[in-house]
Amino acid sequence: MSMGERFKPHRGPRLASLERRLFLRQGLSLGALALLSGCELTEDESVQRVLNAMSRWNDGVQSWLFDPARLAPEFPESRITKPFPFNAYYGRGEIRRVDPGTWRLEVGGMVREKRAWTLPELNQLPQVSQVTRHICVEGWSAIGKWSGVRFSDFLRRIGADLTAKYVGFKCFDDYSTSIDMATALHPQTQLSLRFGDQLLPPEYGAPVKLRMPTKLGFKNPKHIAALFVTNANPGGYWEDQGYNWFSGS
Amino acid sequence: MPAATVPLHPLAVRITHWVNALALLAMVLSGWRIYNADPLFGFVFPDGWTLGGWLAGALQWHFAAMWLLFGNGAAYLAYGILSGHFRRKLLPLAPRAALRDALDALCLRLKHDDLSIYNAAQRAAYLGAMVLIVLLVLSGLVLWKPVQLQGLGLLMGDYEGARYLHFFCMAGIVLFVVAHVLMVALVPRTFPPMITGKLRRSL
């Protein structure tokens, strides 16, 4: 059984409203909400409002704590986790595949050159490697090796406005996420084309994923189809359901 | 004629005690839900005992209540050290006497006549609870920020080591709370002073 299936109950896609009601009822019954008053309905809403506000506050604190020069620890290749866990919002049987010959990386938003990139073009750019720890929001971690284009190099090459606040990602498995510009420019943030010593396989995000050892796993988009630079926070698949947006390590 | 009541717990101690109880409750119950997403051992906590409803909700509770636990804990430690409260009530710490008192308590023969003086077992337990909560905060910080705080992480076996330390300190604090509540149930007249601050003289 894959990690993705094993933890499905904890990530129940699109059950957000039902689950929110459940969690509020539990919260109320626990009396942990004694600090908040009002009728039950407003209590539900105000609790969620407080929790959301705290999550945004934590975004700010994490952004302040983030040191753009501090590198995530790197490991010898002997410590690579084998087999590396598969995880997604769907099971292993639903992994989307694309013809690498027709795949294009669309580039948009606050960038000078909005043309799409092919896989050979990305392969021709200078390549870097890292052996780093991937940490999942579920708690587990695994060490892997990724190679590809340093993302800050790519952003400079497409003439991205580096003073913009966010970079958003749309993936062809209908996933999406977004990151802060400081993390986008971190030296270990990588547009990955390889996993281990092979081309990025479908379960790990073929043909291109973004690897960030300074963010939790779900912030590392796989199967990227388009990226865009913007000043409006684009949110993301899990972020919009209540997972913390910054989710930095 | 002496007064009918004597002061026992200062207001600062009572407020921080109850805020801490609330914060710990939220942290432990949401923490169990987070644990369930990737259990370290061969068991999970029943969903009905947890807070948050699902992983994202539990994480929201955990990362909100942590500020309450941290702010309240910092205020309590500052008060305890600066006012001399710790020195007067918790020191000196006598390990041998603590063991003897703990055994006496287990055999239900521990005398607790003067509630204003903590016995050796209480002193050890209260100081131990403080150490556990400090370790929970430190290991929790490493789990939250394993890259930014990697120096601190090295002291506890990096990210994976911090997970185990965080779990075992949680288990320790839960054990403490169980024993603490049990002792209050056995000596019920210790309970009202933690709310009113005053102890009714038993004449």
Side-chain angles (χ1 to χ4, degrees), chain B residues 127-171:
Chain B
L127 281 170
M130 281 183 229
V131 170
L132 283 174
I133 293 175
V134 168
L135 285 175
L136 275 165
V137 170
L138 293 178
S139 56
L141 281 171
V142 169
L143 294 176
W144 189 41
K145 295 280 127 200
V147 172
Q148 305 307 320
L149 303 176
Q150 53 191 277
L152 185 59
L154 282 180
L155 299 175
M156 45 187 88
D158 204 3
Y159 176 80
E160 288 292 336
R163 290 184 77 191
Y164 285 91
L165 182 62
H166 204 61
F167 179 89
F168 288 122
C169 289
M170 176 282 294

Side-chain angles (χ1 to χ4, degrees), chain A residues 40-83:
Chain A
E40 213 173 274
L41 188 71
T42 52
E43 214 164 48
D44 285 10
E45 284 167 2
S46 60
V47 168
Q48 193 54 61
R49 227 185 346 261
V50 169
L51 292 176
N52 289 340
M54 286 307 293
S55 194
R56 282 194 299 275
W57 155 261
N58 282 328
D59 285 340
V61 172
Q62 292 180 89
S63 163
W64 177 77
L65 277 174
F66 180 75
D67 178 350
R70 186 177 301 267
L71 298 181
E74 300 236 7
F75 300 89
E77 294 197 14
S78 59
R79 292 204 47 198
I80 290 173
T81 307
K82 287 173 186 168

Side-chain angles (χ1 to χ4, degrees), chain A residues 58-135:
Chain A
N58 282 328
D59 285 340
V61 172
Q62 292 180 89
S63 163
W64 177 77
L65 277 174
F66 180 75
D67 178 350
R70 186 177 301 267
L71 298 181
E74 300 236 7
F75 300 89
E77 294 197 14
S78 59
R79 292 204 47 198
I80 290 173
T81 307
K82 287 173 186 168
F84 193 88
F86 163 77
N87 203 7
Y89 72 91
Y90 42 79
R92 205 180 260 275
E94 297 158 72
I95 297 172
R96 245 65 63 88
R97 283 155 207 270
V98 72
D99 173 8
T102 58
W103 175 86
R104 295 288 182 277
L105 174 63
E106 308 280 344
V107 167
M110 299 160 70
V111 299
R112 202 175 49 238
E113 291 177 39
K114 289 197 167 79
R115 72 176 184 87
W117 288 68
T118 66
L119 208 48
E121 283 172 333
L122 290 174
N123 271 301
Q124 275 158 24
L125 298 177
Q127 307 283 305
V128 290
S129 275
Q130 61 174 270
V131 179
T132 50
R133 186 187 296 280
H134 168 110
I135 296 173

Side-chain angles (χ1 to χ4, degrees), chain B residues 158-195:
Chain B
D158 204 3
Y159 176 80
E160 288 292 336
R163 290 184 77 191
Y164 285 91
L165 182 62
H166 204 61
F167 179 89
F168 288 122
C169 289
M170 176 282 294
I173 207 71
V174 169
L175 268 178
F176 165 82
V177 170
V178 168
H180 186 54
V181 171
L182 216 62
M183 296 317 284
V184 173
L186 287 174
V187 193
R189 71 198 173 93
T190 57
F191 183 72
M194 194 38 97
I195 296 166

Side-chain angles (χ1 to χ4, degrees), chain B residues 74-144:
Chain B
Y76 172 73
L77 289 179
Y79 168 81
I81 292 165
L82 297 178
S83 71
H85 176 77
F86 290 164
R87 187 169 37 78
R88 280 194 305 273
K89 302 280 282 189
L90 299 177
L91 297 178
L93 186 62
R96 196 167 300 175
L99 204 62
R100 189 195 57 222
D101 284 355
L103 285 173
D104 282 355
L106 282 176
C107 303
L108 301 179
R109 60 165 188 246
L110 185 63
K111 288 206 180 70
H112 203 1
D113 296 332
D114 185 350
L115 293 187
S116 68
I117 297 171
Y118 290 148
N119 63 54
Q122 278 179 297
R123 293 176 191 208
Y126 298 156
L127 281 170
M130 281 183 229
V131 170
L132 283 174
I133 293 175
V134 168
L135 285 175
L136 275 165
V137 170
L138 293 178
S139 56
L141 281 171
V142 169
L143 294 176
W144 189 41

Side-chain angles (χ1 to χ4, degrees), chain A residues 3 6-7 10-12 16 19 22-23 26-27 30-33 35 47-48 51-52 54-55 57-58 61-62 65-67 70-73 75 133 135-141 213-214 238 241-243 246 248-249, chain B residues 19 22 25-26 29 33-40 44 47-68 141-151 157-160 163:
Chain A
M3 286 273 175
R6 212 171 115 209
F7 299 122
H10 306 288
R11 294 180 286 106
E19 282 162 333
L22 275 171
F23 108 69
Q26 283 177 359
L30 280 160
L33 311 176
L35 294 171
V47 168
Q48 193 54 61
L51 292 176
N52 289 340
M54 286 307 293
S55 194
W57 155 261
N58 282 328
V61 172
Q62 292 180 89
L65 277 174
F66 180 75
D67 178 350
R70 186 177 301 267
L71 298 181
F75 300 89
R133 186 187 296 280
I135 296 173
C136 180
V137 68
E138 293 166 342
W140 55 268
S141 78
T214 56
W238 287 120
Q241 297 182 56
Y243 283 91
F246 194 91
S249 300
Chain B
V19 173
L22 203 68
L25 184 74
L29 298 186
R33 189 82 197 198
I34 297 168
Y35 167 96
N36 284 356
D38 183 46
L40 287 173
V44 292
D47 283 349
W49 296 5
T50 67
L51 180 63
W54 70 314
L55 179 56
L59 288 163
Q60 280 198 331
W61 274 98
H62 209 69
F63 287 102
M66 74 175 183
W67 291 104
L68 192 63
L141 281 171
V142 169
L143 294 176
W144 189 41
K145 295 280 127 200
V147 172
Q148 305 307 320
L149 303 176
Q150 53 191 277
D158 204 3
Y159 176 80
E160 288 292 336
R163 290 184 77 191

